[in-house]
Amino acid sequence: DAGVTQSPTHLIKTRGQHVTLRCSPISGHKSVSWYQQVLGQGPQFIFQYYEKEERGRGNFPDRFSARQFPNYSSELNVNALLLGDSALYLCASSYEVYGGYEQFFGPGTRLTVL
Amino acid sequence: DAKTTQPPSMDCAEGRAANLPCNHSTISGNEYVYWYRQIHSQGPQYIIHGLKNNETNEMASLIITEDRKSSTLILPHATLRDTAVYYCIVRVNDMRFGAGTRLTVKP
């Protein structure tokens, strides 16, 4: 079975631009979560979606948005990019949102903002 | 706003057991204890999780104290490939990572 996949692998943008990152969960998983990992720190929670509805949001500005599609894939959008948005963006999927169901992570998208 | 405390770094000799501690003194009754590890800049890898009882799988064992305020991840026979950052997380729904423990396995 394929694991969580993310695209693109790497991305370079300039300040002020917009970016869309994509995630395909493990087959059968209905929940997708997004994380930002800045170099040297642990992943920081951005969003959690389940059955196309937002179930949780971390402490990120409104420039960050996401959505989940009927096939459970997800997009993370970031507007008006800042230099500080440079990071590894991770997607994780799980069968359910509840704590007993483990989340499995994708390889991440490395975003560089110049 | 991680709810766990871990030592920033630990060393372990190859072939020996690695015991990684985690304090989660404010854990709630419905929060699970999860362990992940991250090698270089790859996505975090799930290791094990538990609620109240000790757990064991092919990768590791998880020992949770009776009061659930702390836990220990045990890698029974550490190899060089176990060198990674290990994260302990308490979770109901979403996961809040701390800084983790950087484990270095030495020959």
Side-chain angles (χ1 to χ4, degrees), chain B residues 6-56:
Chain B
Q6 298 177 252
S9 64
M10 291 181 61
D11 291 341
C12 178
E14 188 178 20
R16 303 296 294 270
N19 296 278
L20 290 89
C22 179
N23 287 319
H24 31 79
S25 57
T26 61
I27 191 170
S28 302
N30 61 344
E31 288 183 309
Y32 287 77
V33 179
Y34 271 78
W35 283 85
Y36 283 79
R37 72 182 183 184
Q38 190 172 28
I39 298 173
H40 208 250
S41 290
Q42 299 176 20
Q45 177 189 22
Y46 167 78
I47 301 174
I48 199 166
H49 75 282
L51 184 61
K52 297 180 181 178
N53 300 319
N54 299 337
E55 302 287 344
T56 295

Side-chain angles (χ1 to χ4, degrees), chain A residues 69-92:
Chain A
F69 300 100
N71 66 354
Y72 303 115
S73 67
S74 178
E75 284 183 353
L76 176 70
N77 295 283
V78 187
N79 292 323
L81 285 167
L82 304 174
L83 295 179
D85 294 331
S86 294
L88 180 67
Y89 288 84
L90 296 159
C91 172

Side-chain angles (χ1 to χ4, degrees), chain B residues 38-102:
Chain B
Q38 190 172 28
I39 298 173
H40 208 250
S41 290
Q42 299 176 20
Q45 177 189 22
Y46 167 78
I47 301 174
I48 199 166
H49 75 282
L51 184 61
K52 297 180 181 178
N53 300 319
N54 299 337
E55 302 287 344
T56 295
N57 63 20
E58 64 278 5
M59 288 183 67
S61 295
L62 173 61
I63 308 299
I64 303 175
T65 58
E66 193 170 342
D67 64 6
R68 300 207 330 122
K69 292 185 177 181
S70 65
S71 61
T72 301
L73 177 75
I74 301 172
L75 307 178
H77 304 287
T79 71
L80 299 180
R81 286 181 292 183
D82 292 322
T83 292
V85 178
Y86 287 77
Y87 296 101
C88 169
I89 302 150
V90 293
R91 174 196 175 202
V92 174
N93 294 325
D94 56 74
M95 295 200 297
R96 311 290 171 132
F97 286 75
T101 295
R102 181 171 298 279

